[in-house]
Amino acid sequence: MSNITSNAALSDAQSTNDISRNVRQYKDLDLFFSRKNGTNDIEKITDIEAVKRSVRNLVLTNFYEKPFHPEIGSGIRDMLFENMTPITAVVLARKVEDVIENFEPRARLIGVRALPNLDRNEYEVTIEFFVVNTPTELVDMTIFLEVLR
Amino acid sequence: MAINDKRLEVTEFDFDEVKTNLKTFLKAQDQFTDYDFEGSGMNILLDVLAYNTHYLGFNANMLANEMFLDSSSLRSSIVSHSKTLGYTPTSARAAKATVDVTLNTNDSSLTMPAGTVFNTSVDSVDYKFSTITDVTKSNTGNSIPFLNTDIYEGTFITTRYTVDSSDVDQRFLLTDNRADTTTLTVKVQTSSSDSTTTTYTEATDITQVTASSNVYFLQEVEAGLFEIYFGDGIIGSALSDGNIIILTYIVSNKSLANGAALFTNAATIASVTDVAVATVAAASAGSEPESLQSIKYNAPLSYASQGRCVTAEDYKVYAKRFFPNTKSVSVFGGEGGSFDTSLGVVSTPEYGKVFIAIESTTGNNLTATEKSTLISALSPFTVASITPVIVDPQTTNLILGVSFLFDSSKTTETATSLASKINTTLTNYNTTNLAQFDGAFRHSKVTGLIDDTDTAITSNITTVTMAHNLTPTLNTATSYTIQLNNKFSNPHTEHNKAAGGILASTGFKVSGDATNVQFFDDDGAGNIRRYYLTAGVRQYQDNTAGTITYSTGEIKISNINITSVEEVDEAASTFIRLTVQPDSLDIVPVRNQILKIDFVNTSIIGAIDTIAIGDSSTGTTASAATTTSSTATTSSY
């Protein structure tokens, strides 16, 4: 078993265009299940934040994890058990690219970098993309991947 | 946005369809919009919901299937349904043999205990047979014979249970799913301090069971094990705490030891070392536990027969129950025919009897022991005054002559490879439609199947010849009667007289002529003739060697002393093959008759269909595949 830690996108302060006239807003369920201030409703996440969360979900999904859809996933967990080399890092970055290109149409991918941090036994994966709804703002998200065991 | 706020499809149970329906439903709201993207939180939630729905739908479907005997697929479900119909599936059966055991001793009497072991082997594998009861016999001079002792293949097992009513989960199980319940004896010892034992018998009819009847009930439970349970003091006597239940039974290797015929004692018997073991009947009747298909078939029929053998169908059910190696059964009442030891099964009525023909899965006829065992097993269920008689099945072989034409432009196959495909088609037809009682040979169906074997086959002409293997009694003047029960071809009197009629046979020699190989044919006027060949010319020795009745399909051979039988199919033989040409191309089996295709002599010949490939000079040549006659008028078979 391995476990994967990452930075949470919860506290992200990216801009959104949360106005009712916007019919093309991305609105998703917050899987961290945070509570909306003042009500007991579940929090919504929107636009850039929603897409970032989706990208994070996809990167952390393994093949055969989704019921009846074994093809959806990144397969990076396997890479974490490989020897930590720059080549592995490139392959890992490639896998992240693939999963986003294949399953996240809202993200226009600019680039993925995976930097091995040998001392901490982790990869720092930086993903840069534009959200289709917000074409002017380059999103830059970083996920740390490490094998716990 | 509310384009679909009332519809939620509930008819689908497949994962993807459920998920699609949920998405359709979600289109009616705009609180969450990202359900279509695979990475979104909503999508993960939909996965969970759809998976759950799919799982429950599948579960409900399986549950519904298992609720009915017809659709259930788990053995435990099928067995449970059959229990409600009062039907207990047959357990695995140990192969059973009968031996005469002689102890050469001067002791006045000795007991051969239950569990006495005899060794044997089948195909170089060793098996052990055991007795299942104590038998005591007296000295008859200087030996003690134990005649006709039944021995069963397997391990003789004793299982003990102490009744403890405080243990609500206590069950009394036979510990192995290969246990043969027919060898089961159930004894109840009063307590550990009181060794009085009472033998309990299986309850088969609860109308006969009283509060004091010492009976047990048998049922199959999970994993193919059998459980016994006892009465409650109202129906059957109840057990009390401290009673010790002693179960003895055989755990066998099922059918593996069938055929074992040579037995030796494994150790001294009752301390006697000089033991002779002679086989009376070789091992037979070992079989697998009843199959699921068989339980599904038999349980409702058993319920319908209500524990009585009245109709032919009832007899079929009971024959299968008491002779588990039954492949198929044919039953006919005495009003529809009878059995005569010399003539075989004939159409003459014989009232008061019911005739049962059984085809065994081994392909052999039932032995005399198996027949008498079956008859005594049937007797408690038969209507008074009706006597069941077991008769052997009579196999009539069908020799086919298949000539087919094929369009060589439609296939890369050759005539030979197509013939091989047709052979497979016929083999399947033989297995599924023929080779059982009531399996009639329907000519047009067969020719249709041949045409459908390959799209390149354009037509076929298939002829049928009936063949019967007659096993003569050698060196004794004997007459033979053969009922083929289908009309023979005889378009006019003296049909084909010069060329040998419609009857042919393989060769044999008769007393008084050790040199010439003799054959039978007929004169087309109802007489069977015997001849031998000199330079291909028939030298008739007897023009009235028997009679042939074309209208009823009967062949009677008058007293003849046959001394030897020639080879059949280029192999040494014990039988003479008689072939006749039937009047109709459809052949129907009657009473104990079974039809089988004889693949050794069946010919399948292909030719290219010149019309189909566009040769304009066809017409005349296209009929080349037509055979002139299917009848074997010489001894070529």
Side-chain angles (χ1 to χ4, degrees):
Chain A
M1 266 304 289
S2 69
N3 208 340
I4 292 171
T5 60
S6 70
N7 67 333
L10 176 66
S11 57
D12 203 287
Q14 302 282 358
S15 65
T16 62
N17 51 355
D18 191 5
I19 52 172
S20 58
R21 278 176 303 170
N22 183 2
V23 294
R24 289 198 175 172
Q25 193 185 29
Y26 300 131
K27 284 177 277 191
D28 194 11
L29 189 71
D30 179 7
L31 276 194
F32 295 138
F33 296 105
S34 47
R35 195 164 65 109
K36 205 170 191 174
N37 283 339
T39 69
N40 281 334
D41 283 347
I42 194 167
E43 188 68 77
K44 257 189 327 194
I45 51 173
T46 53
D47 279 340
I48 292 176
E49 197 176 353
V51 177
K52 285 174 74 173
R53 198 72 71 81
S54 169
V55 166
R56 177 183 170 277
N57 285 340
L58 285 170
V59 169
L60 298 183
T61 303
N62 253 330
F63 296 123
Y64 292 96
E65 205 171 272
K66 249 181 170 348
F68 299 97
H69 284 282
E71 76 282 4
I72 298 174
S74 65
I76 58 165
R77 190 166 295 197
D78 296 343
M79 301 314 298
L80 299 184
F81 286 91
E82 297 292 329
N83 288 332
M84 201 171 222
T85 63
I87 293 185
T88 314
V90 170
V91 175
L92 193 147
R94 186 64 184 270
K95 282 179 181 284
V96 172
E97 268 176 39
D98 285 347
V99 72
I100 295 170
E101 291 285 355
N102 285 338
F103 300 111
E104 188 42 273
R106 293 172 294 179
R108 187 158 63 79
L109 196 63
I110 299 302
V112 177
R113 281 191 318 277
L115 295 176
N117 184 342
L118 297 170
D119 294 336
R120 299 188 53 156
N121 198 29
E122 69 177 19
Y123 291 97
E124 180 188 337
V125 180
T126 307
I127 306 166
E128 289 180 332
F129 59 88
F130 286 103
V131 173
V132 176
N133 257 5
T134 321
T136 54
E137 193 167 345
L138 179 68
V139 182
D140 183 336
M141 65 183 285
T142 305
I143 303 176
F144 291 98
L145 301 171
E146 80 178 299
V147 183
L148 288 185
R149 190 156 68 84
Chain B
M1 191 75 192
I3 54 166
N4 203 4
D5 56 354
K6 291 203 176 90
R7 283 182 59 207
L8 181 58
E9 294 272 347
V10 292
T11 51
E12 311 292 348
F13 286 107
D14 189 55
F15 177 84
D16 281 330
E17 283 160 352
V18 173
K19 197 169 163 185
T20 308
N21 289 340
L22 287 171
K23 285 180 184 173
T24 311
F25 178 71
L26 283 177
K27 283 178 184 164
Q29 53 82 48
D30 55 5
Q31 294 297 310
F32 296 104
T33 55
D34 287 2
Y35 43 80
D36 256 341
F37 301 110
E38 292 299 337
S40 70
M42 279 305 282
N43 201 284
I44 290 167
L45 184 67
L46 292 187
D47 276 343
V48 174
L49 290 171
Y51 177 70
N52 193 38
T53 306
H54 173 75
Y55 193 100
L56 291 176
F58 181 79
N59 200 21
N61 177 49
M62 292 306 289
L63 191 68
N65 276 345
E66 294 301 322
M67 281 169 68
F68 301 98
L69 181 63
D70 289 325
S71 54
S72 52
S73 53
L74 295 175
R75 185 169 184 101
S76 55
S77 311
I78 293 168
V79 166
S80 176
H81 289 306
S82 73
K83 188 183 171 189
T84 62
L85 296 172
Y87 182 78
T88 309
T90 54
S91 67
R93 290 279 189 261
K96 177 185 160 191
T98 309
V99 289
D100 287 345
V101 181
T102 310
L103 307 185
N104 295 313
T105 173
N106 292 321
D107 293 343
S108 59
S109 78
L110 284 175
T111 299
M112 180 161 66
T116 303
V117 176
F118 297 86
N119 290 332
T120 186
S121 69
V122 177
D123 295 337
S124 305
V125 180
D126 293 336
Y127 293 99
K128 294 188 185 307
F129 280 63
S130 295
T131 57
I132 58 166
T133 49
D134 293 345
V135 186
T136 304
K137 295 283 180 185
S138 305
N139 206 314
T140 57
N142 45 15
S143 65
I144 303 177
F146 294 85
L147 300 180
N148 295 322
T149 307
D150 288 335
I151 54 176
Y152 296 83
E153 187 275 323
T155 314
F156 185 67
I157 301 268
T158 304
T159 309
R160 286 186 166 78
Y161 293 98
T162 304
V163 176
D164 177 7
S165 59
S166 67
D167 178 1
V168 290
D169 294 328
Q170 187 175 35
R171 303 165 79 189
F172 311 120
L173 296 170
L174 308 194
T175 51
D176 198 301
N177 60 13
R178 294 171 302 153
D180 180 349
T181 56
T182 58
T183 63
L184 175 67
T185 57
V186 177
K187 288 180 180 171
V188 176
Q189 184 177 327
T190 311
S191 69
S192 55
S193 55
D194 180 352
S195 64
T196 315
T197 57
T198 313
T199 301
Y200 279 56
T201 54
E202 186 184 353
T204 48
D205 183 356
I206 64 155
T207 59
Q208 307 297 319
V209 176
T210 66
S212 60
S213 300
N214 291 329
V215 293
Y216 67 86
F217 301 89
L218 188 67
Q219 66 174 344
E220 188 181 324
V221 290
E222 69 282 349
L225 298 177
F226 276 82
E227 179 190 6
I228 63 161
Y229 55 102
F230 294 86
D232 54 2
I234 299 165
I235 299 173
S237 63
L239 301 185
S240 48
D241 280 358
N243 283 168
I244 298 170
I245 300 168
I246 305 166
L247 309 177
T248 58
Y249 50 93
I250 293 278
V251 172
S252 77
N253 289 305
K254 300 179 277 197
S255 57
L256 293 180
N258 282 347
L262 198 59
F263 299 94
T264 54
N265 52 312
T268 59
I269 297 175
S271 302
V272 176
T273 50
D274 188 358
V275 178
V277 183
T279 306
V280 177
S284 62
S287 68
E288 297 289 321
E290 187 166 8
S291 68
L292 300 183
Q293 201 184 6
S294 171
I295 299 172
K296 283 184 178 183
Y297 175 74
N298 283 324
L301 293 180
S302 165
Y303 178 68
S305 77
Q306 294 286 319
R308 303 281 180 273
C309 285
V310 179
T311 66
E313 288 300 314
D314 298 344
Y315 276 97
K316 287 183 184 176
V317 173
Y318 280 86
K320 282 187 176 173
R321 178 186 294 180
F322 295 126
F323 188 69
N325 272 342
T326 300
K327 185 177 170 195
S328 78
V329 192
S330 167
V331 176
F332 54 97
E335 74 284 356
S338 62
F339 176 74
D340 183 291
T341 44
S342 63
L343 300 176
V345 173
V346 291
S347 57
T348 320
E350 185 178 0
Y351 298 101
K353 285 190 175 171
V354 61
F355 298 91
I356 306 165
I358 294 182
E359 197 202 5
S360 162
T361 50
T362 61
N364 300 326
N365 288 341
L366 274 67
T367 63
T369 324
E370 285 171 337
K371 286 179 187 170
S372 61
T373 310
L374 182 55
I375 285 177
S376 48
L378 284 171
S379 60
F381 302 96
T382 55
V383 174
S385 87
I386 297 289
T387 313
V389 178
I390 314 288
V391 296
D392 291 330
Q394 176 201 320
T395 303
T396 299
N397 290 315
L398 303 179
I399 298 171
L400 306 184
V402 182
S403 304
F404 68 92
L405 295 177
F406 70 101
D407 182 348
S408 57
S409 64
K410 280 189 182 165
T411 182
T412 55
E413 309 243 22
T414 62
T416 321
S417 63
L418 286 173
S420 159
K421 278 185 158 184
I422 292 173
N423 192 51
T424 309
T425 304
L426 292 175
T427 309
N428 292 340
Y429 180 79
N430 189 46
T431 317
T432 51
N433 294 61
L434 303 179
Q436 56 197 331
F437 300 108
D438 308 335
F441 178 85
R442 307 279 179 203
H443 183 262
S444 63
K445 289 275 186 295
V446 174
T447 52
L449 285 173
I450 293 172
D451 282 349
D452 294 343
T453 301
D454 195 289
T455 48
I457 297 173
T458 50
S459 69
N460 78 87
I461 294 168
T462 299
T463 59
V464 189
T465 307
M466 294 165 75
H468 178 85
N469 294 340
L470 170 69
T471 307
T473 312
L474 295 182
N475 302 313
T476 310
T478 314
S479 62
Y480 304 94
T481 304
I482 298 146
Q483 306 277 353
L484 292 178
N485 304 319
N486 284 270
K487 209 172 166 182
F488 297 151
S489 169
N490 189 35
H492 55 87
T493 188
E494 301 197 346
H495 167 66
N496 204 28
K497 182 178 181 181
I502 51 130
L503 173 72
S505 78
T506 56
F508 54 92
K509 285 181 180 160
V510 292
S511 172
D513 186 347
T515 45
N516 293 310
V517 177
Q518 313 275 326
F519 305 97
F520 288 125
D521 69 10
D522 74 294
D523 63 359
N527 295 310
I528 294 174
R529 300 177 294 188
R530 176 166 58 81
Y531 66 93
Y532 63 82
L533 291 167
T534 304
V537 179
R538 297 176 187 222
Q539 310 293 329
Y540 286 103
Q541 302 299 296
D542 185 352
N543 282 327
T544 53
T547 57
I548 177 166
T549 313
Y550 305 103
S551 58
T552 59
E554 184 186 64
I555 298 168
K556 275 187 175 175
I557 297 168
S558 309
N559 258 2
I560 184 169
N561 186 347
I562 294 172
T563 53
S564 68
V565 175
E566 295 296 301
E567 287 189 341
V568 175
D569 299 333
E570 297 171 355
S573 170
T574 56
F575 59 82
I576 299 169
R577 181 189 293 135
L578 298 170
T579 55
V580 284
Q581 190 182 12
D583 185 54
S584 161
L585 291 169
D586 285 355
I587 312 290
V588 183
V590 178
R591 293 184 285 271
N592 65 332
Q593 200 174 9
I594 293 179
L595 302 179
K596 286 179 184 169
I597 296 175
D598 176 356
F599 285 99
V600 176
N601 294 295
T602 288
S603 67
I604 305 172
I605 297 162
I608 292 171
D609 187 344
T610 46
I611 294 177
I613 61 170
D615 184 347
S616 59
S617 66
T618 52
T620 52
T621 55
S623 61
T626 312
T627 52
T628 49
S629 169
S630 66
T631 315
T633 49
T634 69
S635 56
S636 59
Y637 283 131

